[in-house]
Amino acid sequence: MKNYLFLLAFLFVSATVFAVPQGDGSVDNPYLLTDASELNEIRNHPDAHYRLMNDIDLGDWLAENSPEEGWEPINGFTGSLDGNGFAVSGFWINRPSTDKVGLFGSISGGTIKRLGLLMADGKGVVGNNNVGAFVGHTPYSTSAITIEECFVSGGTVEAKGSAAGGILGYTSTNSVVLNIVNCYVAGTMVIGADGAGGIVGTAYRSINVENCYSTGLVKSANNDKSAGGIVGGTNDQSDAYTVKNCIALNSEIQSSKSAGRIVGWIKSADKTVLSNNYAFAGTLVDGSMISGELTDSNGLNKSKEEVNEQATYESLGWSFGEEGVWTMGNGEYALPVLKNVSIEKQPIVMPEHLEIEKELGSVDNPYLVTTASELNDIRNNPAAHYRLMNDIDLTDWLAENSSEEGWEPINDFTGSLDGNGFTISGFWINRPSTDKVGLFGSISGGTIKRLGLLIPDGKSIVGNNYVGGIVGHTPYTTSAISIEECFVFGGTIEAKATAVGAILAYTSTNSVTVNIRNCYVAGTTVIGADGAGGVTGTAYRSINIENCYSTGIVKSTNDDKSAGGIIGGVNDQGKEYIVKNCIALNSDIQSSKSAGRIVGWVKTADKTTLSNNYAFDGILVDGVTVSGVDTDNNGLGKSREEVSDQATYESLGWDFSEEGVWTMGNGEYALPVLKNFSMDKQPIAMPEHLKGPSVQIGEKESPALLVYPTVTNGMVFIDNKAASSMVFVYDLSGNMVMQSDASALNLYPLSDGIYLIKVEGTVVKVQKD
């Protein structure tokens, strides 16, 4: 452990001196753990309090320090360990003759919370008696103990003797109840000669296990001993045992004498309370499927379909939602995961025994697209569903397969494409005599979402009629269509004739509305003879555009035709057109007859609803600046300063919350970008016409160093920092609350408020909301 005894640093901002302790191990000022060596040092101060500040990988440290036996269990712990939403990976122990084995061999009081434990590939936790991944044993006399919001993933937990549990091996507390709440064990095999449990091996004294599940095989190596999906056994008639609101999702539970899906063996039924517990109906208990009830040792049967549904867990009383503990699914993993622990560290592959067989190409089992060739193959099955699994660069593929005309538009698409937060780069089309041009030439139904389209410098998307970046045309009769959380960046999109839009060119649906939501277009020039729009060219049938913006030039080459910053024109008197909560940030809009900052031309005003729309007040509309209100075709004017302010977009109702769609800024780009995409694929340079004066606070001028955004829900990025430079985060009392050498900081664990970030002598004030 680093010397945490009042190591002082001094920070000068506005002539004020802040004393900055490094942590003293108290509840209010815990030691901050950042690497494997510091985690290991807990054993030297087992009564102190600790907090992880990042994920810790033990792989290299164990290889260097204990290559034969792995982690040495920490014993006699009485403090607290706040995982802070991080995970310890590369974890393993091989000490088959040692009792009390786990991350903590024994714990006599305190709390472990919000921590993930990932077993090293092909490894496990092996000991003699009392073996658990988190805790091996709790002694007879102890203070209160709580383990909450923790998970274990992968590997094996094995006791060569008695008591093996996925979370805890054996509890022998005296006058207190040991609480294990909101925990799970995924894909971990638990094996013990006696008392093997998915969560707890043997409870010899009072315990409360609630809101927990396990998915792996549980096996008593001594077949006449106890094995249970949640608890192996409750083993004293003088104490109280509670297992409630749990669900056993194990593949198999094996013990020919005492096996149960919830609890394997109960010594005293009147001291054991089992309530509102479920179990997967397909779990094999000693080779057979069995049934049970909410209040017995086997739990109420739930089908494979039910265990994949959030409603099942809500009926157990589990807390989902914005303020909750749980959220559903992570990649292909359709079971609950912990919301306050790093999602990317939690399972992404569904256990085979719980996986629902789904038709390939269906909504629930889409084709996974990883290459340019696979993207191109969508045209061969346009009714199917697809999901990108990585960014795709078309540059080499187009050079080899279509060097003159570029991408061939995909027509008659009716399925869905989930971009999954990835991008298609190197995209271009040169087909000036072709109608219906775009990534999709025509789409007759379905959804396109979370997709970025990057047009390389010097390239364009060029067609005749109906030319768009994402979609060229939607036909007259169609099913519902949605385009959401998409962006187009760079280049030119040009229709030699009518209808050009950076997202969608022309909609001609019949009885349904085309929805375009939470999309943006950055630095793309849009040119067409008629119906040129920053987002949509011409809406001939019903459309709803909301929460969108565009920044480039929009130009009608036929000067008596329509051009608009969001939509070129709405062109039928029998349909409904809605543009709301949008902001036009274009530099120029050109059409000497029908140009508008929001909409260029409206055929029927009583069929067109424009509400709560803004526009940059410096846009040149046919060479001059104009004014407007939030309900007309020019939108309410906003200054250069306002369009760089998150509050402007929040007043439009855009979602910047932790679970939201938008976040502010990326590099010098002080406009909203989509939160569910890689930041490095989105714009980093502010459009010239929107640039304003930059402000930076600091002890020295450091123009190359950039800390952004200064108002954030969690992430803060630092450009041009030396790799070895440390970053320090202080609260306004001068207390250091975080330190790291990373260029990306996650402030999410900190309370909302003002913080000072110090790096390389520069100090920047950041507001965390």
Side-chain angles (χ1 to χ4, degrees), residues 302-324:
K302 291 294 174 180
S303 68
K304 187 177 293 186
E305 290 72 23
E306 287 175 306
V307 303
N308 282 264
E309 291 288 337
Q310 180 173 319
T312 297
Y313 304 92
E314 289 175 328
S315 68
L316 288 171
W318 293 22
S319 177
F320 290 82
E322 188 173 345
E323 300 298 321

Side-chain angles (χ1 to χ4, degrees), residues 521 533-535 547-552 554 563-567 579-589 596-599 612-621 626 632-639 643 648-649 652 654 671 689-690:
V521 179
V535 174
N547 298 22
C548 294
Y549 75 85
S550 65
T551 71
V554 178
I566 301 298
I567 185 168
V579 183
K580 64 182 180 181
N581 307 331
C582 292
I583 183 167
L585 300 174
N586 315 82
S587 56
D588 292 86
I589 299 169
R597 297 190 300 197
I598 301 299
V599 181
N612 201 34
N613 296 308
Y614 300 159
F616 169 47
D617 58 17
I619 293 175
L620 294 176
V621 179
V626 298
D632 70 11
N633 67 335
N634 281 309
L636 181 65
K638 294 291 177 180
S639 68
V643 302
T648 297
Y649 304 92
L652 289 171
W654 295 22
L671 303 176
H689 66 287
L690 297 176

Side-chain angles (χ1 to χ4, degrees), residues 241-320:
Y241 310 94
T242 302
V243 182
K244 63 182 180 181
N245 306 331
C246 291
I247 182 166
L249 300 175
N250 313 83
S251 55
E252 295 182 67
I253 300 168
Q254 300 177 10
S255 171
S256 60
K257 184 175 182 180
S258 299
R261 296 188 303 195
I262 301 299
V263 181
W265 182 70
I266 296 171
K267 183 169 187 176
S268 179
D270 62 353
K271 293 289 185 177
T272 303
V273 177
L274 305 176
S275 65
N276 201 35
N277 295 308
Y278 300 158
F280 170 48
T283 297
L284 294 176
V285 179
D286 289 329
S288 301
M289 287 185 286
I290 61 176
S291 60
E293 301 298 333
L294 289 169
T295 56
D296 70 17
S297 61
N298 284 307
L300 184 67
N301 278 7
K302 291 294 174 180
S303 68
K304 187 177 293 186
E305 290 72 23
E306 287 175 306
V307 303
N308 282 264
E309 291 288 337
Q310 180 173 319
T312 297
Y313 304 92
E314 289 175 328
S315 68
L316 288 171
W318 293 22
S319 177
F320 290 82

Side-chain angles (χ1 to χ4, degrees), residues 513-517 542-546 576 578-580:
T513 299
V514 175
N515 289 286
I516 302 176
R517 301 187 183 96
S542 297
I543 196 167
N544 174 56
I545 304 176
E546 56 183 294
E576 301 288 338
I578 298 171
V579 183
K580 64 182 180 181

Side-chain angles (χ1 to χ4, degrees), residues 95-101 127-132 136-137 159-164 170:
R95 300 174 184 266
S97 62
T98 300
D99 293 342
K100 305 175 185 177
V101 169
N128 187 32
N129 296 299
N130 308 336
V131 181
H137 177 265
K160 296 298 185 179
S162 63
Y170 187 91

Side-chain angles (χ1 to χ4, degrees), residues 151-170:
F151 76 90
V152 176
S153 179
T156 300
V157 175
E158 181 177 2
K160 296 298 185 179
S162 63
I167 299 289
L168 166 69
Y170 187 91

Side-chain angles (χ1 to χ4, degrees), residues 113 184 209 244 350 503 529 534 544 549:
K113 66 180 181 181
Y184 74 92
V209 182
K244 63 182 180 181
M350 194 68 175
I503 300 292
N544 174 56
Y549 75 85

